[in-house]
Amino acid sequence: MTFLFLRRTGRRLAGLPAAALLCTAVACSAADRAAGPAVPSPPPTGRQAALCRDLHRELPGSVGGLERRSTDPASDFTAAWGDGSAENTITLRCGVPRPRIFDDPATGSAVVDGVSWAPERLRGGGVRCTTPLRPVYIEVTLPGKVAGDGGDMSALVDLAAAVKKTVPSLDPEDTRS
């Protein structure tokens, strides 16, 4: 609408390229800011929220060689390690809804240092891993740069102690947590 108004009045549009450049610069800098993982929606309540808060307090300072950083928005239900870029940041969300992959009886799990995780390969080579046998679902996303072509989940070793300490296992055969 501004374009039509400017055109009718006979004004030149010399400011338009500058405005477009400014918008592009703002969009690029906004994308470069370290946004955090999305807070689970709806966020957990009651016992699940308490378990997530306990986990948040126990999370390590580094995972997979990446240092923990603050998230935006700040939340007891999310955490991140890395530089904030999508290709170099590991994210954790606690209290996520039950993943659809659990509807598939063929979904397998891998035990990493005493914690079961159901891995799901993502576009771009990343791996999303979710705990299947805990009273609250914990989701960790490993970007392709961390997981590599083989789907390496070894970074989860760094999270195992915190998960086992704060979120009990529901697996009757699991005596490790």
Side-chain angles (χ1 to χ4, degrees), residues 6-162:
L6 291 173
R7 189 169 178 187
R8 270 192 248 147
T9 61
R11 289 175 140 177
R12 297 200 51 114
L13 299 178
L16 188 58
L21 182 61
L22 177 63
C23 289
T24 302
V26 168
C28 288
S29 63
D32 290 344
R33 266 185 259 144
V39 175
S41 179
T45 59
R47 179 171 184 245
Q48 290 184 335
L51 292 170
C52 288
R53 287 184 181 102
D54 291 345
L55 174 62
H56 194 264
R57 282 190 290 275
E58 294 294 326
L59 290 172
S62 68
V63 172
L66 301 173
E67 294 301 310
R68 189 165 177 185
R69 65 172 186 80
S70 59
T71 58
D72 182 23
S75 171
D76 287 342
F77 306 121
T78 64
W81 296 264
D83 65 11
S85 65
E87 63 275 352
N88 198 35
T89 300
I90 296 170
T91 61
L92 178 144
R93 298 184 330 133
C94 185
V96 296
R98 184 178 188 274
R100 281 188 253 158
I101 61 165
F102 291 169
D103 294 338
D104 181 355
T107 295
S109 66
V111 177
V112 178
D113 209 17
V115 178
S116 292
W117 298 92
E120 177 182 11
R121 190 61 113 156
L122 303 172
R123 286 187 208 148
V127 178
R128 179 175 38 233
C129 303
T130 309
T131 55
L133 301 172
R134 307 267 164 180
V136 62
Y137 295 114
I138 303 163
E139 171 192 281
V140 175
T141 302
L142 306 169
K145 188 173 181 179
V146 173
D149 292 338
D152 181 6
M153 300 185 329
S154 62
L156 298 176
V157 168
D158 297 330
L159 295 169

